[in-house]
Amino acid sequence: MTYEIEINRQRFEAEPRPGQCLRTYLRERGWFGVKKGCDAGDCGACTVHVDGEPVHSCLYPAVRAEGRGVTTVEGLASPEGELHPVQRKFLDAQGFQCGFCTAGFLMTTAALESERGGDRDDGKLDDLPRAFKGNLCRCTGYRAIEDAVRGVRHTELPCAGKAVGSSLGAPAGPQVVTGTARYTFDVEVPGLLHMKLLRSPHPHARIVAIDTSEALQVPGVQAVFTHEDAPDVRYSSARHEHPTEDPDDTRVLDSVVRYVGQRVAAVVADSEQAAEEGCRRIEVTYEPLPHVTDPEAAMAPGAPALHGDKGADARIARAESNVAGEVHGEIGDVEAGFAEADVVHEETFRTQRVQHASLETHGCVAYFEDKEDGTGERLTVRSSTQTPFLTRRALCALFSLPQDEVRVVAGRVGGGFGGKQEMLTEDVVTLAALRLRRPVKLEYTRAEQFYGATTRHPFLITIKLGARADGTLTAVRMRVVANTGAYGNHGPAVMFHSVGESFAVYRAPHKKVDAYSVYTNCVPAGAFRGYGLGQVTFAVESAMDEVARRLGLDPLVFRERNVIGAGEPMLSPIGEEEDLHIASYGLDQCLSVVRRAIAEDRGDERVPAGWLVGQGTALAMIATGPPGGHYADATVGLLADGTYDIAVGTAEFGNGTTTVHKQITAGALNTTPDRLAIRQSDTDVVRHDTGAFGSAGTVVAGKAVLLAATSLAERLAAFAARYTGVARHLCTLGAEEFDCAGRVVTLKELYEAAHARGAQEELTADGHWGGSPRSVAFNAQWFKVAVDPGTGEMRILRSVHAADAGKVMNPMQCRGQVEGGVAQALGATLFENVRVDERGEVTTAALRRYRLPQYADVPRTEVHFTETRDAIGPLGAKSMSESPFNPVAPAFANALRDATGVRFTELPLTRDRVWLALDASESG
């Protein structure tokens, strides 16, 4: 067979492998802008043009492209490098966050643009819900993408020293829109081996024997690893600054499996196909054990103890009862508080499993590099992780390696949302790489994301509220049961956090909590945006709304009567966190935004006859960082050409921290962002950073950057004064030079002078922040919805979100974080649900069965920021990446209650569930 294909105006003649899809063919030839998101044509991240037609290249056989012209995102620009108009629009509007999906949206839009006005124009570009039905974005909430298509510009070019507060574009924006941004697997590694994992078919079993002989006979298979090859060391896949926060209940490969999908063996081969065949050839003899999937049943006497073989050193609260962690506390006397109440309301709420569904799946590649001193090799792990430094520390502990023997690098990360605050692939890949002394790659499939990664914790919350007739709360009691799944990664911490700010945001003299994080034979849960607060806030805010209605009070007035005020202590039954303060207060402004939205509402002509209309509100409070310390170190230095270098450990995955760090530095050094380079998320080139989680990118790493940049400005000014002989207060730093009483000294000249005098230490400065003390941020969400009682169909007529972000460092970016958080929360509110059967096996292991929000599903949320300035955060800023998620579900449920008279207590609020409840209420 002769084969010829043109890719981005270049000819290729290499024949594809039998059955090879066009996506892998293109990536193997270095066109890394073509992304892998699903392997099923569901997400659109792999969209390319074949003779001008957009296709999902993961479904398109490479052999069909013979003789055709293929264009990837790298080929959109002109041969001279001029951006395609669509690329320019996405750059101007910043129509992306993590950017993993962006190539797909660009290619879809570009194809429709080329058809506009022609014979093939079917009007799709004027109907974006239809145009983008084959493209998914998990980050943006789609509004920024719509603005990009419509040609709306949001980016600004600030003058020197004025970057903070402006809508500066992401530094990697040009690389994102041209497909040259390098994500985890966008690298060529010579001699690469591929790993595939054999996973358990049983919810609970002991491995009696493993026969790998047939697997090793498969051509190309290099090795098979089982529990007999793994270190006999227990750890947690969760990554925290203090590892003792999580129970040590996990092994790289274990002789006991505790959920369907747990890894049993790892096959390493020359190709993925050979590794997969090797997995099929492994024969495992299991001894099935009793299993339990319900957390209440798991705590009952006689239930199988999943981790009963572990001792106190594992830090499991009560292994014999499957309790990974628990907390109990009381303020006052809740029974007395209920006795004082005129209205007492008790209700039980349930929340479901939700998948992070970041479009870049989990994975890493490990390879060896020569040491700089020529003394041998050391291991480099390139990983899609939010925590490169903590992952390095864990790998070194697991395999008894010194830290200078391991380097962990995070390229650009394609979405995280807390799911990549785990070590799910790096441990087993490192095991193989160390044994084989060869490069090894493991990349999860989309199905593995569902049954081999982590989910949001399902919660069962029983809440009881008491209030007087005047609307004053007298008592709050909650019983919380969190299903942590087969392993306790993040389990106790999520449970503990869930009953913190959710309790403390409201005043009540009597409060009590009993909370449990419980092991079951289900896929493990982990960190997810909001970290437990979203689940409990759903219960608290729904119950608050119900009590207000029973008292005959406006639910907004009832909340205002009971919310914590500025300067008040934040009290919850689990104890007061001494380093947590209300360092700025914007909750009153958030509620004022909601009140204005309600007041200006004048009905809606879009509501069909017979539909029910209602509105609802919810609020939330969250700490601006995790407890117990979250550390960041930063270095800012002057370079030889008179520009600056920033070195900071935080990973970039659409959280926008790279942009904010440049803005902070530009302000402190009175320069422009284009004169700043940044190095990040590489354990070799930057100093320690706990990680990009807990909303810490701005308020922790940003503070370290600010301290370093401010210190450098002082050092440079002092050196300039000595160099020129002019008093320090007469030396003014500009964008490219110092003005010392009329004598202009360029920064390049200053650099040369410092080196000539041996004063290089004057040219760099370090900053450190330990994440304490912490402040709190507030958010409020308001919905107006319409419901068809005959079908259960729901429409969001209006969505308003108020955010107390302190000083907004980048309005465009911050608005995008809020919109993305609301959109993700709406997915969890309305349809997302990782379903498991009676054995705990995931039955929704594909995007088309899981139902992520599409363009057509997400309303355009009106975002309002309060005018506050925080006393703790850098330059008055607060975190705003997690918190928008938390009030969305209860606000929607409260609007649904207002419209229908039915209180919905279980998520998701699917159309069929709503119809059934309405039908039952009418029948009753």
Side-chain angles (χ1 to χ4, degrees):
M1 170 184 177
T2 59
Y3 183 86
E4 185 176 299
I5 183 175
E6 183 182 277
I7 306 172
N8 297 332
R9 300 178 288 272
Q10 299 178 34
R11 287 181 57 188
F12 293 83
E13 296 182 351
E15 293 182 8
R17 296 187 301 276
Q20 185 174 25
C21 70
L22 182 57
R23 189 201 69 229
T24 60
Y25 184 88
L26 294 169
R27 286 186 60 84
E28 286 175 3
R29 276 139 195 89
W31 304 109
F32 294 125
V34 184
K35 301 303 183 195
K36 172 187 174 180
C38 66
D39 279 325
D42 294 333
C43 74
C46 67
T47 304
V48 301
H49 295 171
V50 178
D51 287 344
E53 291 286 338
V55 302
H56 288 178
S57 61
C58 69
L59 297 180
Y60 194 96
V63 69
R64 284 186 56 193
E66 182 185 4
R68 299 176 184 270
V70 175
T71 304
T72 74
V73 67
E74 293 99 328
L76 275 187
S78 70
E80 295 75 29
E82 183 178 351
L83 292 182
H84 187 282
V86 171
Q87 290 173 312
R88 174 52 59 189
K89 287 180 179 180
F90 270 75
L91 194 58
D92 289 344
Q94 295 285 284
F96 54 86
Q97 283 183 26
C98 84
F100 200 80
C101 69
T102 304
F105 278 97
L106 284 165
M107 300 307 289
T108 300
T109 305
L112 296 176
E113 287 272 18
S114 67
E115 294 176 3
R116 175 169 274 183
D119 295 338
R120 295 186 298 169
D121 186 1
D122 62 0
K124 279 187 181 177
L125 208 54
D126 298 316
D127 184 6
L128 293 185
R130 184 162 68 107
F132 290 143
K133 66 181 180 180
N135 293 86
L136 292 174
C137 176
R138 190 55 157 166
C139 298
T140 66
Y142 296 104
R143 188 273 314 160
I145 293 171
E146 178 182 0
D147 285 354
V149 175
R150 304 299 184 211
V152 180
R153 177 170 185 153
H154 294 298
T155 55
E156 300 173 346
L157 298 174
C159 57
K162 303 295 183 182
V164 171
S166 66
S167 293
L168 181 71
Q175 289 75 44
V176 169
V177 301
T178 57
T180 55
R182 290 294 175 250
Y183 295 80
T184 306
F185 297 113
D186 297 342
V187 292
E188 295 184 21
V189 181
L192 185 65
L193 299 176
H194 300 267
M195 176 181 286
K196 288 294 181 178
L197 299 173
L198 176 68
R199 295 182 178 275
S200 170
H202 298 285
H204 196 195
R206 181 172 290 105
I207 297 173
V208 177
I210 300 182
D211 185 350
T212 64
S213 58
E214 288 296 319
L216 290 168
Q217 296 303 310
V218 174
V221 169
Q222 300 293 324
V224 179
F225 298 97
T226 72
H227 66 272
E228 294 178 352
D229 305 294
D232 190 15
V233 178
R234 286 186 279 103
Y235 61 99
S236 171
S237 67
R239 302 270 57 81
H240 285 111
E241 181 63 42
H242 304 291
T244 53
E245 290 186 28
D246 311 293
D248 287 336
D249 56 13
T250 303
R251 284 188 64 198
V252 176
L253 294 165
D254 206 331
S255 59
V256 176
V257 291
R258 297 176 175 86
Y259 67 98
V260 176
Q262 180 169 331
R263 58 197 190 193
V264 171
V267 178
V268 182
D270 296 339
S271 67
E272 290 189 6
Q273 295 88 340
E276 288 172 350
E277 180 60 25
C279 287
R280 286 189 284 268
R281 300 279 189 92
I282 299 173
E283 294 185 7
V284 185
T285 303
Y286 296 97
E287 176 193 343
L289 301 171
H291 66 276
V292 59
T293 59
D294 178 76
E296 294 282 13
M299 288 191 291
L306 275 63
H307 295 279
D309 59 331
K310 297 177 177 64
D313 61 325
R315 297 186 304 281
I316 298 172
R318 286 188 287 126
E320 71 282 1
S321 301
N322 291 312
V323 177
E326 60 187 324
V327 61
H328 307 277
E330 184 171 9
I331 297 173
D333 183 342
V334 291
E335 295 305 324
F338 291 131
E340 298 170 8
D342 296 303
V343 168
V344 176
H345 174 68
E346 186 171 12
E347 192 72 73
T348 297
F349 295 84
R350 295 177 183 272
T351 67
Q352 80 283 30
R353 290 176 182 83
V354 177
Q355 231 294 315
H356 305 81
S358 51
L359 288 192
E360 181 191 41
T361 61
H362 282 79
C364 71
V365 55
Y367 50 93
F368 291 89
E369 295 179 307
D370 292 333
K371 293 181 180 179
E372 292 183 1
D373 60 8
T375 59
E377 295 180 321
R378 60 147 182 185
L379 184 70
T380 293
V381 180
R382 182 178 173 90
S383 173
S384 182
T385 178
Q386 296 173 227
T387 58
F389 285 88
L390 301 189
T391 299
R392 180 184 65 172
R393 184 170 68 188
L395 291 175
C396 290
L398 189 57
F399 295 101
S400 301
L401 298 170
Q403 289 204 357
D404 62 359
E405 292 285 330
V406 179
R407 174 190 182 193
V408 175
V409 181
R412 190 171 179 90
V413 178
F417 318 114
K420 293 174 181 175
Q421 192 192 338
E422 303 275 353
M423 187 171 69
L424 298 180
T425 61
E426 300 91 340
D427 51 354
V428 69
V429 169
T430 295
L431 169 67
L434 290 173
R435 294 290 184 88
L436 297 173
R437 307 302 296 184
R438 293 274 303 277
V440 179
K441 168 188 172 183
L442 172 59
E443 182 177 12
Y444 273 15
T445 64
R446 179 54 57 185
E448 285 181 298
Q449 284 293 110
F450 283 97
Y451 55 70
T454 61
T455 72
R456 192 177 189 85
H457 284 76
F459 268 58
L460 179 71
I461 309 118
T462 299
I463 182 170
K464 186 175 182 180
L465 292 181
R468 295 190 179 91
D470 65 358
T472 303
L473 282 175
T474 61
V476 183
R477 185 178 71 196
M478 274 196 283
R479 181 178 185 271
V480 174
V481 178
N483 187 341
T484 197
Y487 293 92
N489 48 300
H490 296 283
V494 165
M495 174 270 301
F496 189 88
H497 187 239
S498 73
V499 293
E501 294 96 288
S502 61
F503 259 108
V505 71
Y506 288 113
R507 295 187 301 266
H510 310 287
K511 298 178 179 180
K512 183 178 181 181
V513 66
D514 294 288
Y516 308 86
S517 180
V518 184
Y519 288 118
T520 63
N521 293 111
C522 297
V523 58
F528 199 121
R529 204 172 198 165
Y531 212 67
L533 274 180
Q535 295 94 312
V536 175
T537 298
F538 172 58
V540 170
E541 289 297 296
S542 296
M544 288 289 292
D545 190 81
E546 198 63 35
V547 170
R549 294 178 185 279
R550 295 192 179 194
L551 289 171
L553 294 174
D554 179 338
L556 193 58
V557 171
F558 181 52
R559 287 181 173 83
E560 290 172 330
R561 196 159 293 175
N562 291 285
V563 292
I564 191 171
E568 293 186 30
M570 288 173 282
L571 302 178
S572 77
I574 62 175
E576 185 176 358
E577 297 181 66
E578 294 182 357
D579 74 331
L580 192 61
H581 310 281
I582 302 178
S584 61
Y585 188 81
L587 181 54
D588 52 348
Q589 295 181 53
C590 289
L591 296 179
S592 293
V593 168
V594 171
R595 190 172 294 285
R596 287 196 300 271
I598 296 172
E600 67 191 21
D601 185 67
R602 295 291 183 269
D604 199 309
E605 59 187 20
R606 297 172 294 168
V607 180
W611 284 46
L612 308 173
V613 178
Q615 57 90 17
T617 304
L619 62 84
M621 177 176 75
I622 190 171
T624 59
H630 190 111
Y631 306 137
D633 294 296
T635 300
V636 180
L638 180 66
L639 300 176
D641 61 356
T643 62
Y644 298 96
D645 171 75
I646 309 166
V648 62
T650 302
E652 175 64 60
F653 55 99
N655 47 358
T657 54
T658 307
T659 318
V660 168
H661 294 163
K662 291 188 74 169
Q663 289 178 279
I664 289 172
T665 304
L669 295 171
N670 197 33
T671 190
T672 53
D674 60 297
R675 296 183 59 78
L676 304 171
I678 189 163
R679 295 174 292 148
Q680 61 198 84
S681 56
D682 182 338
T683 59
D684 243 27
V685 300
V686 296
R687 296 188 298 136
H688 182 78
D689 186 281
T690 296
F693 65 89
S695 303
T698 293
V699 297
V700 179
K703 189 134 183 177
V705 168
L706 176 62
L707 293 170
T710 303
S711 177
L712 178 61
E714 289 297 321
R715 286 189 172 197
L716 292 177
F719 183 75
R722 293 200 306 273
Y723 177 61
T724 60
V726 175
R728 161 67 185 84
H729 70 279
L730 296 178
C731 294
T732 303
L733 178 60
E736 302 180 41
E737 73 289 312
F738 269 97
D739 183 337
C740 296
R743 178 181 172 184
V744 175
V745 182
T746 67
L747 293 174
K748 182 179 180 181
E749 179 183 348
L750 207 63
Y751 180 93
E752 294 169 349
H755 272 259
R757 297 185 179 191
Q760 294 94 326
E761 69 278 0
E762 304 286 349
L763 307 181
T764 63
D766 297 328
H768 170 81
W769 184 247
S772 181
R774 301 172 293 149
S775 185
V776 292
F778 299 97
N779 294 75
Q781 174 72 40
W782 178 78
F783 284 114
K784 182 179 180 183
V785 304
V787 187
D788 181 359
T791 66
E793 180 182 349
M794 295 164 282
R795 296 181 188 174
I796 297 175
L797 304 177
R798 196 172 171 203
S799 172
V800 177
H801 192 99
D804 173 25
K807 170 64 177 176
V808 178
M809 311 294 271
N810 187 312
M812 173 184 63
Q813 272 193 177
C814 199
R815 176 186 173 189
Q817 289 294 313
V818 173
E819 291 169 336
V822 171
Q824 193 174 60
L826 277 172
T829 300
L830 296 176
F831 29 75
E832 291 185 51
N833 190 3
V834 178
R835 297 181 182 274
V836 300
D837 63 16
E838 66 280 357
R839 300 171 65 250
E841 183 172 3
V842 174
T843 61
T844 50
L847 292 179
R848 64 183 58 191
R849 292 200 294 270
Y850 179 65
R851 184 75 164 86
L852 283 179
Q854 296 177 292
Y855 181 97
D857 297 317
V858 181
R860 300 299 168 257
T861 294
E862 304 164 36
V863 178
H864 302 266
F865 294 115
T866 65
E867 295 183 5
T868 57
R869 190 176 183 89
D870 200 67
I872 294 174
L875 304 175
K878 294 201 248 192
S879 57
M880 196 47 59
S881 57
E882 291 189 274
S883 57
F885 190 105
N886 296 330
V888 170
F892 190 94
N894 290 340
L896 204 56
R897 164 69 168 86
D898 189 51
T900 66
V902 177
R903 170 60 60 190
F904 291 87
T905 60
E906 184 173 356
L907 296 178
L909 301 171
T910 55
R911 179 174 170 174
D912 59 337
R913 183 171 285 168
V914 170
W915 180 83
L916 287 169
L918 294 181
D919 184 63
S921 67
E922 290 179 5
S923 301

